[in-house]
Amino acid sequence: MGIISWIKILRKECVNAVMADKALVIIDVQKCFLPGGSLAVAEGDNVVSPLNRYIELFRDQGLPIYATRDWHPNVTIHFKAYGGLWPPHCIQNTPEAEFAPGLELPENVEIISAGIGPDEEGYSGFEGFTKEGQSFMDSLQAHGIRHLYVGGIATDYCVRYTVLDALRRGFRVTVLTDAIRGVDLEPGDSQRAIDEMVQNGAKTFEIEDVEKDIRAVPA
């Protein structure tokens, strides 16, 4: 085998190593946040189709996929009745806490549950754990993940908190702006959240940009 062939092989191995440090993170795409749910986000169902495209892309490239979920107990400081901001939602093991219909999560998706204790808000995926009890952070480190591609619900809350936490922890973060929707308790909250994430170091991509980024292999 000639030196040019060896160079091509080594280059491809280097690219694969870089690729392997990426993961898709889907934030809280659950029934309760869809239209008609107990804490409905306007057009929340519109994230499902673009997220399925991202899922297909990452799955085809053999890259990890995480899905976070709110997973609250009946009594929690997160709910208005106990001093929180929100009505009851995403209560553990209830139908409304299930992932959105049509969201095509792969069998090997890693589910991260957050807000599981009565004294936990659970806004950030970094407050969550796998079903085995491993923290989100430890799971990412175990897989060598350094770059997160983040979409889901809601832009101005759980997406924002997760992205800012990731940036503080040294991750590279790309926010998938065609696959997020916000609560917007105050007009403009979602855009302000995006601006804050960008100001702290996040990039904003849509599917065409991510396809180029994920599939890019030097000649």
Side-chain angles (χ1 to χ4, degrees), residues 150 155-156 159-164 167 173 175 180 190-204:
V150 181
T155 307
D156 39 348
V159 171
R160 171 180 171 266
Y161 276 82
T162 301
V163 167
L164 294 177
L167 293 167
V173 181
V175 179
I180 54 175
S190 289
Q191 186 57 54
R192 284 188 286 272
I194 292 171
D195 293 343
E196 182 183 11
M197 291 184 280
V198 170
Q199 289 164 6
N200 280 273
K203 292 183 179 179
T204 56

Side-chain angles (χ1 to χ4, degrees), residues 41-78:
V41 171
E43 301 183 350
D45 52 337
N46 287 352
V47 305
V48 173
S49 180
L51 283 173
N52 283 340
R53 293 181 66 186
Y54 287 111
I55 289 168
E56 181 180 12
L57 175 62
F58 277 72
R59 185 185 60 218
D60 289 349
Q61 298 297 319
L63 297 172
I65 298 172
Y66 289 84
T68 73
R69 63 181 181 181
D70 268 1
W71 202 241
H72 298 299
N74 283 296
V75 177
T76 167
I77 61 169
H78 197 62

